[in-house]
Amino acid sequence: MLRKMALAAGALMIVGFTSAPARADLKLCNKTESRVGVALGYKDKEGWATEGWWTVEPQKCLPLLKGDLIARYYYIFAVDYDKGGSWGGKSIMCTRDKVFTIRGIEDCEGRGYTKTGFFEVDTGEAADWTVSLSGEKTTQGQ
């Protein structure tokens, strides 16, 4: 009897350690029929940064940042890998073709990067936010 109680207590402890508290994230949901490449821009305590590329499969969601959001505004640039075209905006930041983390948004071309227009996402200072990508692209595919 004592052994069964010890086993049950051990099983409860394992369950307690494996269940993690809910975490907030910045997620992107690809509501298109194409694979999409995503770059992200944001400002943190060290200044401006851009990161890329995440590949988000059609009709799937993917966290771009894990944990509570630290900024109100985030910036997204996305490329349709299958049909061409992209989603962007007026906020200029730096990107490159390969996987990257770039600090600073000034003089992109002078530093060997591509100057790219991102669209702004206002999270309203929420701790958790999901961006859905669909609809018209800002540039059309070839």
Side-chain angles (χ1 to χ4, degrees):
M1 178 73 167
L2 187 57
R3 184 174 176 189
K4 285 183 183 179
M5 285 176 37
L7 287 173
L12 286 175
M13 247 188 344
I14 290 170
V15 169
F17 285 120
T18 58
S19 62
R23 290 188 51 173
D25 297 324
L26 176 65
K27 295 180 255 345
L28 185 125
C29 291
N30 177 5
K31 302 291 187 182
T32 76
E33 298 302 318
S34 298
R35 291 173 311 119
V36 173
V38 179
L40 174 69
Y42 56 90
K43 189 173 186 179
D44 62 15
K45 62 185 175 189
E46 296 176 38
W48 287 101
T50 51
E51 297 182 38
W53 295 97
W54 288 266
T55 299
V56 186
E57 297 296 324
Q59 305 300 321
K60 300 284 184 191
C61 297
L62 189 71
L64 304 180
L65 292 175
K66 294 184 179 186
D68 290 348
L69 302 184
I70 59 168
R72 178 175 177 169
Y73 298 100
Y74 290 87
Y75 300 85
I76 304 277
F77 176 75
V79 177
D80 185 323
Y81 285 150
D82 298 328
K83 296 179 183 170
S86 62
W87 294 264
K90 296 179 182 178
S91 299
I92 302 300
M93 299 188 178
C94 305
T95 61
R96 67 179 215 159
D97 289 340
K98 297 179 181 179
V99 172
F100 67 90
T101 298
I102 301 170
R103 281 284 170 188
I105 58 174
E106 67 289 328
D107 191 25
C108 296
E109 292 162 338
R111 297 189 296 147
Y113 303 121
T114 303
K115 192 164 86 171
T116 306
F118 285 60
F119 67 86
E120 183 177 86
V121 175
D122 182 352
T123 67
E125 298 182 359
D128 175 63
W129 198 263
T130 300
V131 177
S132 291
L133 193 61
S134 63
E136 291 299 311
K137 298 170 193 157
T138 55
T139 64
Q140 297 306 311
Q142 275 65 349

